[in-house]
Amino acid sequence: LETHLKKNNLEHILFEYDYNKNTLKPDEILYGSHTDVWWKCSVCGHEFPTQARYRLKHPQCPNCQKRGTSFPLPAAIRN
């Protein structure tokens, strides 16, 4: 996961990886994994689990997305 994010300029997602709640480190998870991973939103502080593969396709916090407070990513990063 960590290597894939760095290679694809998605390092900002690593800043939201919750090291306290996850037992695995980002470099121990495959980027297409179905493994549930805990994240902590850097905007609102919401903590949420989601599969690593889903998080890469939907990088916004679900709480911010509902409220419309999360900043959308540029189109070049969303793919």
Side-chain angles (χ1 to χ4, degrees):
L1 179 65
E2 183 175 14
T3 302
H4 177 78
L5 293 173
K6 287 180 178 179
K7 283 184 182 178
N8 291 285
N9 295 324
L10 298 171
E11 292 177 326
H12 61 279
I13 294 177
L14 281 177
F15 292 117
E16 297 190 338
Y17 188 87
D18 193 333
Y19 288 90
N20 294 325
K21 287 194 173 185
N22 291 304
T23 56
L24 298 174
K25 295 178 184 175
D27 62 347
E28 298 174 320
I29 301 170
L30 296 175
Y31 77 90
S33 175
H34 292 255
T35 301
D36 279 335
V37 177
W38 279 92
W39 307 92
K40 185 172 183 177
C41 179
S42 59
V43 175
C44 73
H46 177 65
E47 297 174 354
F48 59 99
T50 192
Q51 293 178 0
R53 65 187 183 95
Y54 184 80
R55 177 74 166 131
L56 299 178
K57 291 180 182 179
H58 306 279
Q60 290 182 307
C61 160
N63 194 42
C64 286
Q65 192 171 22
K66 287 178 190 173
R67 294 180 179 185
T69 57
S70 186
F71 300 101
L73 296 173
I77 295 176
R78 277 187 260 147
N79 297 330

